[in-house]
Amino acid sequence: MVKWTFGLALAVWLAVLATLKLGIQPPIPASVLMLYMVLVTIAILVFVAADETRFGHFVAPLRAVYEGRVPRPVQVAVLVALPALAGWGTWLRVAPNFDAPFEPRVVHPEPPSTFTFNGRTVDQLTLKNPLREGADAESLARHTAAGKTTYYRNCFFCHGDALGGDGHFALALRPIPANFRDVGTISMLQESYVFWRISTGGPGLPNGATPWHSAMPVWQNYLTEEEIWQVILYIYEGSGSTPRTWDEGTGGHDH
Amino acid sequence: MNSRVLALVACVLATLAVAPAAVAAPVRSEAVPPTPVAADEAAGKKVYERNCMQCHGAEGAGDGPAAEFVYPKPRDFRLGMYKIRTTLSGQLPTDHDLFKVVSQGIPGTSMPAWERYLSEEERWQAIHYIKRFDMLGLFEEEPPKERIVVGGAPKVTDELVARGKQVYQDAKCWQCHGQLGRGDGPSASGMTDDWDNPIRPVNFTKSWIFRGGSTLEDIYRTFTTGFNGTPMPSFAITVGEEDRWALAAYVKSLARERRTGQVVRAAYRDGPLPGDAWDAAWDEAEPLDVQLAGQIILEPRWFAPAHDAARVQALYNDREIAVMVSWDDGTHDEGQSGPPDQVALQLPLGTPPGTERPYFVLGDRKRPVDYWRWNAANGLQRAVYRGHDRAESREAEGVDARGAYREGQYRVVYRRALDVDPQQGRAFAAGDYVPLAVHLWDGQQGEEGMKMAISGWHYLLLQPPTPLSAWLWPAGVALLVCVGNFALLRRMRRRESGSATEEAAS
């Protein structure tokens, strides 16, 4: 066992690195990874240095290399590998990067209080889905079914057959089309917000949301108000999510 | 005689041509394994109506609301005719075949891989349910009992690929798929399937759109069993098993990698830029496959574009830049009958502040785009667009575009000086990221005007030569570690010899 102290330490270090790097989704930021690895390195060093015999065992393989008590090829390999590794690590840090520039983007920008729908002014604050408000189960099902048809004739090319944002046009678009199954999209939005985004599309994004590069068409050019509300019913139903609502009963002043 | 009959005749002739040389060995087959999940009509109906009906239709006729907007058309389940099977030509597929297609989807079509969204149980119920649409009830009466063996693939060697190349000639694959596999054979144009829907032979260089999959086994299976209901015949009888594997290996060797990304990196070239699109110098330029979508934003909307990608490469020197766009097209349309094939590069006209960019389809009122359109009939036409309805034609003013069509492929090379008057265009400088978008039209498919394939904004980067410091730092660090190594070595040795003398002294 003592013979392997150095190897074990190295294996633990590599195992932690591999777990942090590959085992966590979405990937953790490089700076956090760096911090963790520094801590792990220190922890391992403290552990081996805490006991003098253990430390002796730890450095034994290194001593063996430098004192020439290992076969010549091994010694040469280590002496070459160390500078090469250090050089390679430095190259990774200083090599010029020609990836696309980072473009910060407001994913759900603050909606305007009013917007124009085919010449009519719509008040965003009081807007409700007229097909959901007080609708019975039969009419809800009928409108949802109509919304499904509209979805598959207009939206699924980009937003996907299963509403996963992975339609057959999706690869051509950046930013990528919204994935309605993702809890970060429609399920954290009110239906009025979704209505605004569909009606005014990419060109309707407010100045505060620049740079907008959304490919979302302006759907009020193609769909009627009712069709848009129907599509909204369908994308919530089809993705198994529910629209966000403000709880009007409990205001902040009541308690 | 319509084109479908022609295609059939071509296939029959092709089959006859190889028949004398063919080994009439029976195709190796095995019993179809049992289906693991029994049918539950109610469960199947639920899955089907929720996930499948939108394309395949309420009655399974392939006529759902989305059907008219996609190419290829969704499957009509009523005739029991399926493309991707492990059973012989004309036969029904096995349950496992259907399950595989539902699970993994069909590449290059709008059929997604349902394994991402449906459980195994749901997928089995879906395939049980679609079998009910078969009008003749054949799935009930005589379900397939035997399937071909797709196993024992040989090791792919140069000899095997060379042999496959010969089979490709002998079996006349080139008649539809073209000599270089670009889907541009003499019979390629105007083909239809058994429903009279247009169908195009697959481009063998794009392995990511092989309908039946792109592994060696997949290609072997497709070639062996054919695609029912399409002009793609089965070669099970006419071509021996070894030759079929060789052909699969050859077809696989034609495939190239798809390189997606955001940045076209123009490589610096010391000396003149190549004037010819087929110049070997273009091999130095890293290619990017710019992905395309149908233009569905402005009227007339175009839902099923002919092209899915355009390959863009760029080179620059101290004076000018050359950008090459290349794409495969089965037909060379120069505009004599119908619209010509076209390509356009779109760049911002000036330099909008920050990360602002013009609207990605033909710019907007505030941010115009410089539009370099080349068509196979009359070459370059330059224009400035401030939105799709505000075009202003411009003189070429230093922009040059030359294109040619050779062996099923277009290559168009645009050239321009790096520096221009800011009123006339966007200047290029090493290290700058210049937004770039590509539009593409296939005249044969009726594409013209706004009926086109479009890309989002990408970037064109004139990649600066790597600075000296980027090399010096790693070299310096490596040297330092080297010095440390030797210092340690010497110290250890000295200590060792020191202790040795001590020992000797005591």
Side-chain angles (χ1 to χ4, degrees):
Chain A
M1 189 69 189
V2 292
K3 210 175 141 193
W4 302 109
T5 309
F6 180 76
L8 273 175
L10 196 65
V12 167
W13 192 88
L14 286 173
V16 173
L17 178 67
T19 314
L20 290 177
K21 193 133 182 127
L22 310 170
I24 299 176
Q25 284 303 327
I28 56 173
S31 54
V32 178
L33 181 70
M34 179 84 174
L35 196 70
Y36 280 8
M37 288 321 294
V38 166
L39 285 176
V40 169
T41 312
I42 292 173
I44 291 175
L45 287 179
V46 166
F47 176 74
V48 293
D51 182 304
E52 202 165 325
T53 24
R54 196 186 294 140
F55 189 69
H57 294 313
F58 178 73
V59 293
L62 291 174
R63 291 184 69 132
V65 167
Y66 285 103
E67 289 171 3
R69 283 185 282 105
V70 291
R72 195 74 187 189
V74 175
Q75 189 185 30
V76 171
V78 171
L79 292 184
V80 170
L82 281 178
L85 259 175
W88 182 60
T90 317
W91 168 252
L92 288 185
R93 301 210 151 257
V94 299
N97 172 10
F98 298 120
D99 290 341
F102 176 64
E103 285 166 354
R105 188 171 77 90
V106 184
V107 178
H108 299 308
E110 182 82 4
S113 54
T114 60
F115 64 93
T116 313
F117 188 96
N118 284 337
R120 189 166 57 78
T121 302
V122 177
D123 185 353
Q124 168 84 31
L125 297 175
T126 57
L127 190 60
K128 295 237 161 70
N129 187 344
L131 306 180
R132 196 192 292 279
E133 290 288 300
D136 56 66
E138 187 274 327
S139 93
L140 199 61
R142 186 163 44 83
H143 286 303
T144 307
K148 182 174 180 181
T149 300
T150 306
Y151 179 86
Y152 287 101
R153 296 173 75 90
N154 295 282
C155 320
F156 100 106
F157 313 98
C158 303
H159 293 285
D161 219 329
L163 304 132
D166 55 354
H168 52 284
F169 287 170
L171 218 52
L173 307 174
R174 193 78 50 105
I176 56 172
N179 170 2
F180 301 136
R181 288 169 168 257
D182 185 328
V183 291
T185 63
I186 54 172
S187 49
M188 63 179 290
L189 298 170
Q190 289 180 286
E191 281 182 300
S192 58
Y193 189 100
V194 179
F195 183 86
W196 166 60
R197 290 298 342 111
I198 295 173
S199 304
T200 64
L205 281 163
N207 286 338
T210 51
W212 55 263
H213 301 127
S214 164
M216 181 78 168
V218 181
W219 287 106
Q220 56 178 301
N221 294 345
Y222 298 104
L223 302 177
T224 65
E225 199 174 337
E226 182 177 64
E227 281 172 326
I228 294 178
W229 286 122
Q230 287 170 338
V231 165
I232 293 175
L233 289 180
Y234 175 68
I235 61 175
Y236 279 105
E237 199 263 350
S239 64
S241 45
T242 47
R244 185 169 172 188
T245 49
W246 303 135
D247 199 341
E248 284 158 8
T250 54
H253 307 289
D254 290 349
H255 48 90
Chain B
M1 222 160 63
N2 69 17
S3 54
R4 183 148 59 104
V5 177
L6 270 176
L8 273 175
V9 169
C11 291
V12 170
L13 285 179
T15 316
L16 285 178
V18 287
V23 199
V27 181
R28 280 197 296 141
S29 64
E30 61 190 6
V32 171
T35 306
V37 175
D40 171 349
E41 192 189 335
K45 186 177 162 72
K46 199 172 150 219
V47 176
Y48 183 83
E49 290 185 348
R50 186 170 191 98
N51 303 288
C52 319
M53 205 171 78
Q54 55 265 23
C55 293
H56 296 286
E59 303 298 322
D63 59 353
E68 62 180 286
F69 300 105
V70 296
Y71 169 84
K73 292 278 169 260
R75 181 99 327 216
D76 171 357
F77 298 130
R78 295 173 304 173
L79 303 180
M81 246 194 295
Y82 291 86
K83 288 200 280 200
I84 300 150
R85 310 172 327 279
T86 53
T87 58
L88 290 177
S89 185
Q91 295 184 2
L92 294 173
T94 70
D95 288 355
H96 290 271
D97 292 340
L98 294 173
F99 183 78
K100 183 176 178 231
V101 169
V102 171
S103 300
Q104 298 175 8
I106 305 184
T109 78
S110 55
M111 174 74 179
W114 286 102
E115 63 193 358
R116 289 187 60 190
Y117 300 110
L118 298 177
S119 70
E120 218 173 294
E121 167 76 24
E122 287 174 310
R123 280 177 271 142
W124 281 113
Q125 292 308 340
I127 71 109
H128 283 306
Y129 196 75
I130 62 170
K131 290 193 291 178
R132 303 174 61 88
F133 294 122
D134 169 26
M135 290 194 301
L136 300 172
L138 293 173
F139 277 110
E140 275 298 310
E141 274 171 37
E142 29 186 304
K145 293 186 180 63
E146 292 278 305
R147 67 176 186 187
I148 64 149
V149 179
V150 187
K155 194 170 171 295
V156 176
T157 57
D158 290 348
E159 290 77 47
L160 192 73
V161 171
R163 184 171 166 187
K165 189 171 181 178
Q166 191 54 47
V167 179
Y168 192 86
Q169 293 303 319
D170 296 343
K172 295 205 164 40
C173 304
W174 52 269
Q175 207 143 49
C176 300
H177 296 283
Q179 281 295 357
L180 299 177
R182 290 172 178 158
D184 62 324
S187 318
S189 158
M191 286 185 150
T192 54
D193 65 10
D194 284 10
W195 289 265
D196 271 337
N197 291 321
I199 188 167
R200 302 192 284 273
V202 82
N203 181 336
F204 286 140
T205 65
K206 295 181 172 180
S207 59
W208 60 90
I209 58 163
F210 287 11
R211 309 292 191 242
S214 58
T215 66
L216 196 63
E217 283 78 9
D218 287 332
I219 301 169
Y220 171 84
R221 187 215 52 237
T222 300
F223 188 58
T224 303
T225 67
F227 276 169
N228 287 351
T230 79
M232 173 68 196
S234 154
F235 289 85
I237 309 300
T238 49
V239 178
E241 184 175 331
E242 280 174 42
D243 279 349
R244 275 182 270 130
W245 280 115
L247 185 90
Y250 174 64
V251 167
K252 201 164 167 53
S253 78
L254 294 174
R256 60 178 178 78
E257 200 190 333
R258 171 160 69 167
R259 306 181 63 136
T260 58
Q262 281 297 94
V263 183
V264 179
R265 298 187 184 94
Y268 178 78
R269 194 173 152 77
D270 200 6
L273 299 181
D276 177 23
W278 275 266
D279 195 308
W282 283 107
D283 297 341
E284 294 167 28
E286 185 185 279
L288 182 79
D289 289 314
V290 171
Q291 301 298 303
L292 305 172
Q295 190 288 110
I296 60 169
I297 293 189
L298 304 158
E299 291 280 16
R301 298 192 285 164
W302 192 243
F303 293 93
H307 297 297
D308 65 340
R311 176 159 269 213
V312 182
Q313 290 163 275
L315 291 168
Y316 76 105
N317 63 16
D318 296 320
R319 283 190 313 108
E320 57 173 356
I321 180 164
V323 180
M324 175 159 85
V325 188
S326 56
W327 71 97
D328 294 348
D329 190 333
T331 52
H332 182 204
D333 306 302
E334 292 177 285
Q336 275 92 0
S337 54
D341 295 324
Q342 302 184 68
V343 62
L345 280 192
Q346 176 186 285
L347 313 148
L349 184 65
T351 310
T355 47
E356 269 185 45
R357 282 176 280 180
Y359 188 56
F360 82 112
V361 190
L362 299 170
D364 51 59
R365 299 285 184 266
K366 277 197 297 190
R367 289 158 294 212
V369 294
D370 196 356
Y371 202 63
W372 303 346
R373 188 203 299 252
W374 177 92
N375 79 36
N378 36 29
L380 177 75
Q381 291 157 305
R382 188 170 168 227
V384 169
Y385 277 87
R386 289 180 166 79
H388 70 104
D389 49 354
R390 274 204 195 170
E392 177 195 314
S393 192
R394 285 268 174 115
E395 293 298 312
E397 292 170 71
V399 182
D400 174 57
R402 263 166 230 191
Y405 180 83
R406 201 184 286 177
E407 295 172 309
Q409 189 171 68
Y410 273 104
R411 292 188 183 183
V412 177
V413 178
Y414 293 92
R415 291 163 71 133
R416 207 203 67 185
L418 295 182
D419 254 332
V420 286
D421 175 355
Q423 294 303 310
Q424 302 302 331
R426 161 101 185 214
F428 294 106
D432 272 1
Y433 287 87
V434 179
L436 174 82
V438 180
H439 297 167
L440 201 55
W441 293 259
D442 185 350
Q444 170 83 15
Q445 308 296 326
E447 296 185 341
E448 58 181 328
M450 296 307 286
K451 291 184 188 170
M452 60 182 174
I454 59 170
S455 80
W457 282 120
H458 287 66
Y459 284 110
L460 175 62
L461 167 72
L462 277 60
Q463 187 166 321
T466 307
L468 196 60
S469 65
W471 300 108
L472 285 180
W473 274 107
V477 169
L479 194 70
L480 219 65
V481 175
C482 247
V483 169
N485 259 343
F486 282 103
L488 212 58
L489 263 181
R490 277 186 57 185
R491 214 176 116 192
M492 289 293 191
R493 270 206 203 123
R494 205 177 295 154
R495 194 191 287 175
E496 211 175 340
S497 58
S499 59
T501 31
E502 261 172 48
E503 268 169 39
S506 65

